[in-house]
Short mmCIF file of all heavy atoms in Angstrom, two decimals:
data_model
loop_
_atom_site.label_atom_id
_atom_site.label_comp_id
_atom_site.label_asym_id
_atom_site.label_seq_id
_atom_site.Cartn_x
_atom_site.Cartn_y
_atom_site.Cartn_z
N ARG A 218 0.45 -19.10 -19.89
CA ARG A 218 1.78 -19.58 -20.27
C ARG A 218 1.73 -20.88 -21.07
O ARG A 218 2.76 -21.39 -21.49
CB ARG A 218 2.62 -19.80 -19.02
CG ARG A 218 2.98 -18.52 -18.29
CD ARG A 218 3.98 -18.79 -17.19
NE ARG A 218 3.45 -19.70 -16.17
CZ ARG A 218 2.78 -19.29 -15.09
NH1 ARG A 218 2.56 -18.00 -14.91
NH2 ARG A 218 2.34 -20.16 -14.22
N SER A 318 1.74 -20.42 -26.11
CA SER A 318 2.99 -19.92 -25.56
C SER A 318 4.15 -20.54 -26.31
O SER A 318 4.10 -21.71 -26.70
CB SER A 318 3.09 -20.25 -24.07
OG SER A 318 4.29 -19.77 -23.52
N THR A 319 5.20 -19.75 -26.53
CA THR A 319 6.37 -20.20 -27.28
C THR A 319 7.63 -19.83 -26.52
O THR A 319 7.79 -18.68 -26.11
CB THR A 319 6.40 -19.54 -28.68
OG1 THR A 319 5.21 -19.87 -29.39
CG2 THR A 319 7.61 -20.02 -29.46
N GLU A 320 8.51 -20.80 -26.33
CA GLU A 320 9.79 -20.52 -25.68
C GLU A 320 10.70 -19.84 -26.69
O GLU A 320 10.88 -20.32 -27.82
CB GLU A 320 10.41 -21.80 -25.15
CG GLU A 320 11.57 -21.54 -24.22
CD GLU A 320 12.03 -22.77 -23.48
OE1 GLU A 320 11.37 -23.83 -23.63
OE2 GLU A 320 13.04 -22.70 -22.76
N VAL A 321 11.29 -18.73 -26.27
CA VAL A 321 12.03 -17.88 -27.21
C VAL A 321 13.37 -18.47 -27.60
O VAL A 321 13.77 -18.46 -28.78
CB VAL A 321 12.21 -16.47 -26.59
CG1 VAL A 321 13.10 -15.61 -27.47
CG2 VAL A 321 10.85 -15.80 -26.40
N GLU A 322 14.11 -19.01 -26.63
CA GLU A 322 15.49 -19.44 -26.88
C GLU A 322 15.59 -20.50 -27.99
O GLU A 322 16.35 -20.32 -28.95
CB GLU A 322 16.11 -19.96 -25.58
CG GLU A 322 17.59 -20.26 -25.71
CD GLU A 322 18.18 -20.70 -24.38
OE1 GLU A 322 17.41 -21.17 -23.51
OE2 GLU A 322 19.41 -20.59 -24.21
N PRO A 323 14.83 -21.60 -27.94
CA PRO A 323 14.96 -22.57 -29.04
C PRO A 323 14.45 -22.06 -30.37
O PRO A 323 14.98 -22.43 -31.42
CB PRO A 323 14.12 -23.76 -28.54
CG PRO A 323 13.22 -23.21 -27.49
CD PRO A 323 13.96 -22.08 -26.87
N ALA A 324 13.42 -21.18 -30.33
CA ALA A 324 12.92 -20.63 -31.60
C ALA A 324 13.99 -19.76 -32.27
O ALA A 324 14.21 -19.85 -33.49
CB ALA A 324 11.65 -19.82 -31.35
N LEU A 325 14.69 -18.93 -31.50
CA LEU A 325 15.76 -18.10 -32.07
C LEU A 325 16.92 -18.96 -32.54
O LEU A 325 17.53 -18.67 -33.59
CB LEU A 325 16.24 -17.08 -31.03
CG LEU A 325 15.27 -15.96 -30.68
CD1 LEU A 325 15.89 -15.02 -29.65
CD2 LEU A 325 14.88 -15.17 -31.92
N VAL A 345 23.56 -13.92 -30.34
CA VAL A 345 22.23 -14.11 -29.75
C VAL A 345 22.34 -14.00 -28.23
O VAL A 345 23.14 -14.71 -27.62
CB VAL A 345 21.62 -15.47 -30.14
CG1 VAL A 345 20.22 -15.61 -29.53
CG2 VAL A 345 21.56 -15.61 -31.66
N THR A 346 21.55 -13.10 -27.65
CA THR A 346 21.49 -12.93 -26.19
C THR A 346 20.04 -13.08 -25.76
O THR A 346 19.19 -12.23 -26.07
CB THR A 346 22.02 -11.55 -25.76
OG1 THR A 346 23.35 -11.38 -26.26
CG2 THR A 346 22.02 -11.43 -24.25
N VAL A 347 19.74 -14.15 -25.04
CA VAL A 347 18.37 -14.40 -24.60
C VAL A 347 18.42 -15.19 -23.30
O VAL A 347 19.13 -16.19 -23.22
CB VAL A 347 17.56 -15.15 -25.69
CG1 VAL A 347 18.28 -16.42 -26.14
CG2 VAL A 347 16.17 -15.48 -25.18
N PRO A 348 17.71 -14.75 -22.26
CA PRO A 348 17.69 -15.52 -21.01
C PRO A 348 16.88 -16.79 -21.17
O PRO A 348 15.88 -16.83 -21.89
CB PRO A 348 17.04 -14.55 -20.02
CG PRO A 348 16.24 -13.61 -20.85
CD PRO A 348 16.98 -13.49 -22.15
N ALA A 349 17.31 -17.82 -20.49
CA ALA A 349 16.59 -19.10 -20.54
C ALA A 349 15.22 -18.95 -19.87
O ALA A 349 15.08 -18.25 -18.87
CB ALA A 349 17.40 -20.19 -19.83
N GLY A 350 14.23 -19.58 -20.45
CA GLY A 350 12.88 -19.54 -19.88
C GLY A 350 12.02 -18.40 -20.38
O GLY A 350 10.83 -18.33 -20.04
N LEU A 351 12.58 -17.48 -21.17
CA LEU A 351 11.79 -16.37 -21.71
C LEU A 351 10.78 -16.91 -22.72
O LEU A 351 11.14 -17.73 -23.58
CB LEU A 351 12.71 -15.35 -22.36
CG LEU A 351 12.09 -14.02 -22.81
CD1 LEU A 351 11.54 -13.26 -21.61
CD2 LEU A 351 13.14 -13.18 -23.54
N ARG A 352 9.53 -16.43 -22.63
CA ARG A 352 8.46 -16.98 -23.48
C ARG A 352 7.69 -15.86 -24.18
O ARG A 352 7.58 -14.75 -23.66
CB ARG A 352 7.49 -17.83 -22.65
CG ARG A 352 8.15 -18.94 -21.86
CD ARG A 352 7.12 -19.82 -21.18
NE ARG A 352 6.41 -20.66 -22.14
CZ ARG A 352 6.86 -21.85 -22.53
NH1 ARG A 352 8.00 -22.34 -22.06
NH2 ARG A 352 6.16 -22.56 -23.40
N PHE A 353 7.19 -16.22 -25.36
CA PHE A 353 6.31 -15.35 -26.14
C PHE A 353 4.89 -15.88 -25.98
O PHE A 353 4.64 -17.09 -26.18
CB PHE A 353 6.73 -15.36 -27.61
CG PHE A 353 5.68 -14.85 -28.56
CD1 PHE A 353 5.27 -13.53 -28.53
CD2 PHE A 353 5.08 -15.71 -29.48
CE1 PHE A 353 4.30 -13.06 -29.41
CE2 PHE A 353 4.12 -15.26 -30.35
CZ PHE A 353 3.72 -13.93 -30.32
N ARG A 354 3.95 -15.00 -25.63
CA ARG A 354 2.57 -15.43 -25.45
C ARG A 354 1.85 -15.41 -26.80
O ARG A 354 1.15 -14.45 -27.15
CB ARG A 354 1.86 -14.51 -24.44
CG ARG A 354 2.39 -14.62 -23.05
CD ARG A 354 1.35 -14.24 -22.01
NE ARG A 354 0.83 -12.90 -22.19
CZ ARG A 354 1.32 -11.82 -21.62
NH1 ARG A 354 2.38 -11.92 -20.84
NH2 ARG A 354 0.78 -10.65 -21.81
N GLY A 355 2.06 -16.47 -27.53
CA GLY A 355 1.45 -16.60 -28.84
C GLY A 355 1.95 -17.85 -29.54
O GLY A 355 2.73 -18.64 -29.00
N ARG A 357 4.00 -20.27 -32.03
CA ARG A 357 5.39 -20.32 -32.47
C ARG A 357 5.53 -19.88 -33.92
O ARG A 357 6.48 -19.19 -34.29
CB ARG A 357 5.94 -21.74 -32.28
CG ARG A 357 7.41 -21.88 -32.66
CD ARG A 357 7.87 -23.32 -32.60
NE ARG A 357 9.28 -23.41 -32.94
CZ ARG A 357 10.27 -23.64 -32.07
NH1 ARG A 357 9.98 -23.79 -30.79
NH2 ARG A 357 11.53 -23.71 -32.47
N PHE A 360 5.59 -16.13 -34.09
CA PHE A 360 6.85 -15.60 -33.58
C PHE A 360 7.97 -15.79 -34.61
O PHE A 360 8.75 -14.86 -34.87
CB PHE A 360 7.21 -16.31 -32.27
CG PHE A 360 8.49 -15.83 -31.66
CD1 PHE A 360 8.56 -14.61 -31.01
CD2 PHE A 360 9.65 -16.60 -31.75
CE1 PHE A 360 9.76 -14.16 -30.46
CE2 PHE A 360 10.84 -16.16 -31.20
CZ PHE A 360 10.89 -14.94 -30.55
N ILE A 364 10.10 -12.68 -36.29
CA ILE A 364 11.54 -12.59 -36.08
C ILE A 364 12.29 -13.07 -37.32
O ILE A 364 13.35 -12.52 -37.68
CB ILE A 364 11.95 -13.41 -34.84
CG1 ILE A 364 11.14 -12.95 -33.62
CG2 ILE A 364 13.43 -13.26 -34.56
CD1 ILE A 364 11.26 -11.48 -33.32
N ILE A 381 21.15 -10.29 -32.11
CA ILE A 381 19.76 -10.56 -31.71
C ILE A 381 19.72 -10.58 -30.19
O ILE A 381 20.40 -11.40 -29.56
CB ILE A 381 19.27 -11.91 -32.28
CG1 ILE A 381 19.46 -11.95 -33.80
CG2 ILE A 381 17.81 -12.13 -31.90
CD1 ILE A 381 19.17 -13.32 -34.39
N ARG A 382 18.91 -9.70 -29.62
CA ARG A 382 18.82 -9.62 -28.16
C ARG A 382 17.35 -9.65 -27.74
O ARG A 382 16.53 -8.87 -28.27
CB ARG A 382 19.46 -8.33 -27.64
CG ARG A 382 19.43 -8.19 -26.12
CD ARG A 382 20.09 -6.90 -25.68
NE ARG A 382 20.11 -6.79 -24.23
CZ ARG A 382 21.07 -7.30 -23.46
NH1 ARG A 382 22.07 -7.96 -24.02
NH2 ARG A 382 21.02 -7.17 -22.15
N ALA A 383 17.02 -10.55 -26.82
CA ALA A 383 15.65 -10.67 -26.32
C ALA A 383 15.67 -10.51 -24.80
O ALA A 383 16.57 -11.01 -24.13
CB ALA A 383 15.04 -12.02 -26.70
N GLU A 384 14.66 -9.82 -24.27
CA GLU A 384 14.57 -9.63 -22.82
C GLU A 384 13.12 -9.32 -22.45
O GLU A 384 12.30 -8.96 -23.31
CB GLU A 384 15.47 -8.48 -22.36
CG GLU A 384 15.14 -7.14 -23.00
CD GLU A 384 16.09 -6.04 -22.54
OE1 GLU A 384 16.65 -6.17 -21.45
OE2 GLU A 384 16.24 -5.05 -23.28
N ALA A 385 12.83 -9.48 -21.16
CA ALA A 385 11.50 -9.15 -20.64
C ALA A 385 11.53 -7.74 -20.07
O ALA A 385 12.44 -7.38 -19.33
CB ALA A 385 11.08 -10.15 -19.56
N VAL A 386 10.55 -6.94 -20.42
CA VAL A 386 10.43 -5.57 -19.91
C VAL A 386 9.06 -5.42 -19.26
O VAL A 386 8.09 -6.05 -19.68
CB VAL A 386 10.61 -4.52 -21.03
CG1 VAL A 386 12.02 -4.59 -21.60
CG2 VAL A 386 9.60 -4.74 -22.15
N ALA A 387 9.00 -4.62 -18.23
CA ALA A 387 7.74 -4.40 -17.50
C ALA A 387 6.96 -3.29 -18.17
O ALA A 387 7.50 -2.23 -18.47
CB ALA A 387 8.01 -4.05 -16.04
N PRO A 392 4.78 -8.31 -17.74
CA PRO A 392 5.99 -8.44 -18.56
C PRO A 392 5.65 -8.46 -20.04
O PRO A 392 4.64 -9.02 -20.46
CB PRO A 392 6.57 -9.78 -18.10
CG PRO A 392 5.41 -10.56 -17.58
CD PRO A 392 4.45 -9.54 -17.01
N HIS A 393 6.51 -7.84 -20.82
CA HIS A 393 6.43 -7.89 -22.27
C HIS A 393 7.76 -8.41 -22.80
O HIS A 393 8.79 -8.31 -22.14
CB HIS A 393 6.14 -6.50 -22.86
CG HIS A 393 4.68 -6.20 -23.00
ND1 HIS A 393 3.82 -6.24 -21.93
CD2 HIS A 393 3.92 -5.88 -24.08
CE1 HIS A 393 2.60 -5.94 -22.35
NE2 HIS A 393 2.63 -5.71 -23.64
N LEU A 394 7.71 -8.96 -23.98
CA LEU A 394 8.91 -9.47 -24.63
C LEU A 394 9.43 -8.43 -25.61
O LEU A 394 8.68 -7.94 -26.46
CB LEU A 394 8.58 -10.78 -25.35
CG LEU A 394 9.69 -11.34 -26.27
CD1 LEU A 394 10.91 -11.72 -25.46
CD2 LEU A 394 9.16 -12.53 -27.06
N LEU A 395 10.69 -8.07 -25.46
CA LEU A 395 11.34 -7.13 -26.39
C LEU A 395 12.43 -7.87 -27.12
O LEU A 395 13.32 -8.48 -26.50
CB LEU A 395 11.90 -5.94 -25.62
CG LEU A 395 12.53 -4.81 -26.47
CD1 LEU A 395 12.29 -3.46 -25.82
CD2 LEU A 395 14.04 -5.02 -26.67
N VAL A 396 12.38 -7.84 -28.44
CA VAL A 396 13.41 -8.45 -29.29
C VAL A 396 13.97 -7.36 -30.18
O VAL A 396 13.23 -6.67 -30.89
CB VAL A 396 12.84 -9.60 -30.13
CG1 VAL A 396 13.95 -10.26 -30.93
CG2 VAL A 396 12.16 -10.64 -29.24
N ALA A 397 15.30 -7.21 -30.16
CA ALA A 397 15.98 -6.22 -30.99
C ALA A 397 16.97 -6.92 -31.90
O ALA A 397 17.80 -7.72 -31.44
CB ALA A 397 16.71 -5.20 -30.10
N ILE A 459 10.94 -5.02 -31.69
CA ILE A 459 9.56 -5.47 -31.62
C ILE A 459 9.23 -5.78 -30.17
O ILE A 459 10.02 -6.40 -29.46
CB ILE A 459 9.34 -6.70 -32.53
CG1 ILE A 459 7.86 -7.09 -32.55
CG2 ILE A 459 10.21 -7.87 -32.13
CD1 ILE A 459 7.52 -8.12 -33.59
N VAL A 461 6.16 -7.42 -27.87
CA VAL A 461 4.93 -8.23 -27.90
C VAL A 461 4.72 -8.84 -26.51
O VAL A 461 5.64 -8.84 -25.69
CB VAL A 461 5.03 -9.34 -28.98
CG1 VAL A 461 4.91 -8.76 -30.37
CG2 VAL A 461 6.33 -10.12 -28.82
N PRO A 462 3.53 -9.35 -26.23
CA PRO A 462 3.30 -9.98 -24.92
C PRO A 462 4.26 -11.14 -24.68
O PRO A 462 4.53 -11.93 -25.58
CB PRO A 462 1.84 -10.45 -25.00
CG PRO A 462 1.21 -9.56 -26.02
CD PRO A 462 2.27 -9.28 -27.01
N GLY A 463 4.77 -11.23 -23.47
CA GLY A 463 5.71 -12.30 -23.12
C GLY A 463 5.71 -12.54 -21.63
O GLY A 463 5.03 -11.84 -20.88
N ASP A 464 6.49 -13.50 -21.20
CA ASP A 464 6.63 -13.86 -19.79
C ASP A 464 8.10 -13.91 -19.44
O ASP A 464 8.91 -14.47 -20.18
CB ASP A 464 5.98 -15.21 -19.49
CG ASP A 464 4.47 -15.13 -19.59
OD1 ASP A 464 3.89 -14.32 -18.87
OD2 ASP A 464 3.88 -15.88 -20.39
N ALA A 465 8.42 -13.32 -18.27
CA ALA A 465 9.80 -13.35 -17.80
C ALA A 465 10.15 -14.74 -17.32
O ALA A 465 9.29 -15.51 -16.92
CB ALA A 465 10.00 -12.32 -16.69
N PRO A 466 11.43 -15.09 -17.34
CA PRO A 466 11.84 -16.40 -16.79
C PRO A 466 11.48 -16.49 -15.32
O PRO A 466 11.38 -15.49 -14.63
CB PRO A 466 13.36 -16.40 -17.00
CG PRO A 466 13.63 -15.38 -18.05
CD PRO A 466 12.56 -14.35 -17.91
N ALA A 467 11.24 -17.70 -14.83
CA ALA A 467 10.89 -17.89 -13.44
C ALA A 467 11.97 -17.35 -12.53
O ALA A 467 13.17 -17.64 -12.71
CB ALA A 467 10.67 -19.38 -13.17
N GLY A 468 11.57 -16.53 -11.57
CA GLY A 468 12.51 -15.97 -10.60
C GLY A 468 13.21 -14.71 -11.08
O GLY A 468 13.98 -14.12 -10.34
N ALA A 469 12.98 -14.28 -12.33
CA ALA A 469 13.62 -13.08 -12.86
C ALA A 469 12.64 -11.94 -12.88
O ALA A 469 11.48 -12.12 -13.19
CB ALA A 469 14.18 -13.33 -14.26
N ALA A 470 13.12 -10.76 -12.54
CA ALA A 470 12.27 -9.57 -12.56
C ALA A 470 12.43 -8.87 -13.88
O ALA A 470 13.55 -8.65 -14.35
CB ALA A 470 12.66 -8.63 -11.42
N PRO A 471 11.35 -8.51 -14.57
CA PRO A 471 11.46 -7.80 -15.84
C PRO A 471 12.03 -6.41 -15.64
O PRO A 471 11.87 -5.80 -14.61
CB PRO A 471 10.00 -7.75 -16.34
CG PRO A 471 9.18 -7.92 -15.13
CD PRO A 471 9.96 -8.76 -14.18
N HIS A 472 12.72 -5.93 -16.67
CA HIS A 472 13.29 -4.58 -16.62
C HIS A 472 12.20 -3.54 -16.73
O HIS A 472 11.22 -3.71 -17.43
CB HIS A 472 14.29 -4.39 -17.75
CG HIS A 472 15.44 -5.37 -17.72
ND1 HIS A 472 16.46 -5.31 -16.79
CD2 HIS A 472 15.71 -6.46 -18.48
CE1 HIS A 472 17.32 -6.30 -17.00
NE2 HIS A 472 16.88 -7.01 -18.01
#
Side-chain angles (χ1 to χ4, degrees):
R218 293 189 298 271
S318 180
T319 301
E320 192 169 356
V321 174
E322 187 177 22
L325 290 181
V345 181
T346 304
V347 53
L351 188 63
R352 305 186 72 86
F353 163 67
R354 293 206 303 268
R357 182 186 181 106
F360 180 76
I364 305 304
I381 305 172
R382 181 180 183 86
E384 60 181 336
V386 295
H393 270 57
L394 171 64
L395 184 146
V396 183
I459 185 170
V461 287
D464 290 303
H472 300 288

